[in-house]
Amino acid sequence: GAGVSQSPRYKVTKRGQDVALRCDPISGHVSLYWYRQALGQGPEFLTYFNYEAQQDKSGLPNDRFSAERPEGSISTLTIQRTEQRDSAMYRCASSPPSPATGGEQYFGPGTRLTVT
Amino acid sequence: ILNVEQSPQSLHVQEGDSTNFTCSFPSSNFYALHWYRWETAKSPEALFVMTLNGDEKKKGRISATLNTKEGYSYLYIKGSQPEDSATYLCAPNNSGGSNYKLTFGKGTLLTVNP
C-alpha cells in the first residue's frame, strides 16, 4: 500500500514568505507527527496529532510555526514569515492505533525547505 | 529537554564483524524505546519498539535489549554486511504513557567495509 507522502518534496522560498507543507499519512493511521531534521542529525520533534486533535506542540520553535489536521487525515505545517534558520528537512510520520506505545512510526520522504 | 545519548557517534567495521552500540536515556517516566535505521537520502525505518525491562527483540541479524531501570538499550548486529551501513537512531518515550512524543538521539553512524 501507499506510504506516507509529503509535498512538495523541495521548496525554495524567500525570507519573509509563508510556506505550507503537506503530509498525507498512511490510510487508517491515527497518529501523525511532524519533525525537523538537520543534516546528519536525528529528527527533532515539533508536534503530533491523534485524529484531528493536536496532542503536543511543545516542539514548535515559536509562534511562526503552526500545524493543523482538520479532518484527522491530511496535515499541514505552516511556517509564517520564514527565516533562513528555518531551512531544514521537514519530515512527517504516522503510526497505527496502538494504545500501549503509540506504535512504530512510518516516515515520509520529507520536504527539503530552503529559505534564501 | 530529554537527554538521549548514543555511543559511539560513528564506527567502521569489516564485513562479517559483529558490533553493538548503546542508547542511554532517563529512566524516569519511561514508556517505550524505539530504534530506527536511517540511510541518508531516505526516510528513517522502524526496527523495534520495546517497552518492558529485560525485553529482547530480534529481526534477522539485528537484535536489541532494554534495561529500563538503568536507562539503556543495546543494539547488536551479527555478521555485519555492507548493506547494514546506516545511522541507527534510538528514541525513547518518557511521557509515562501520557503522549506519544519521541526524543531522538543523534544516532550511531555505522560503516561496514567490504
Side-chain angles (χ1 to χ4, degrees):
Chain A
V4 177
S5 61
Q6 292 187 245
S7 61
R9 293 290 306 277
Y10 302 90
K11 177 71 179 177
V12 180
T13 190
K14 288 189 191 308
R15 186 163 51 96
Q17 297 293 305
D18 297 352
V19 294
L21 312 181
R22 174 185 161 125
C23 172
D24 200 341
I26 293 171
S27 177
H29 279 198
V30 166
S31 302
L32 184 149
Y33 312 79
W34 282 102
Y35 295 91
R36 181 166 65 177
Q37 191 169 17
L39 270 174
Q41 302 285 314
E44 175 193 358
F45 173 83
L46 295 176
T47 185
Y48 93 97
F49 295 82
N50 279 345
Y51 299 100
E52 71 282 0
Q54 193 170 21
Q55 298 292 322
D56 186 326
K57 55 181 182 178
S58 61
L60 295 176
N62 51 60
D63 60 9
R64 295 186 296 106
F65 287 72
S66 62
E68 60 173 12
R69 193 186 185 198
E71 295 176 6
S73 179
I74 292 166
S75 176
T76 303
L77 177 71
T78 301
I79 309 173
Q80 295 179 309
R81 305 180 302 281
T82 51
E83 300 177 6
Q84 283 188 315
R85 60 182 168 150
D86 299 333
S87 298
M89 175 73 83
Y90 288 84
R91 289 199 192 272
C92 170
S94 67
S95 65
S98 177
T101 68
E104 61 186 30
Q105 297 183 15
Y106 294 78
F107 281 82
T111 294
R112 169 72 65 191
L113 175 66
T114 303
V115 182
T116 61
Chain B
I1 296 176
L2 209 62
N3 187 26
V4 182
E5 293 189 3
Q6 291 192 246
S7 63
Q9 256 188 328
S10 65
L11 76 162
H12 292 249
V13 301
Q14 289 300 123
E15 183 175 353
D17 287 352
S18 293
T19 188
N20 65 84
F21 22 93
T22 309
C23 171
S24 302
F25 50 88
S27 54
S28 58
N29 297 316
F30 174 84
Y31 202 66
L33 189 282
H34 294 227
W35 279 100
Y36 288 83
R37 180 177 181 278
W38 174 44
E39 290 181 59
T40 309
K42 292 188 179 179
S43 308
E45 173 193 341
L47 287 173
F48 306 113
V49 180
M50 309 170 78
T51 55
L52 300 176
N53 186 45
D55 238 359
E56 182 168 343
K57 295 222 171 174
K58 190 173 179 184
K59 187 183 279 192
R61 294 178 292 98
I62 304 177
S63 61
T65 60
L66 178 66
N67 183 320
T68 62
K69 295 189 186 310
E70 295 180 41
Y72 65 83
S73 175
Y74 293 135
L75 190 82
Y76 300 91
I77 303 179
K78 187 176 174 183
S80 305
Q81 300 296 309
E83 58 264 30
D84 296 329
S85 298
T87 298
Y88 291 84
L89 298 162
C90 74
N93 176 321
N94 281 67
S95 70
S98 63
N99 80 39
Y100 298 158
K101 174 181 175 180
L102 296 181
T103 302
F104 280 82
K106 293 184 178 178
T108 292
L109 174 59
L110 173 67
T111 304
V112 182
N113 299 311

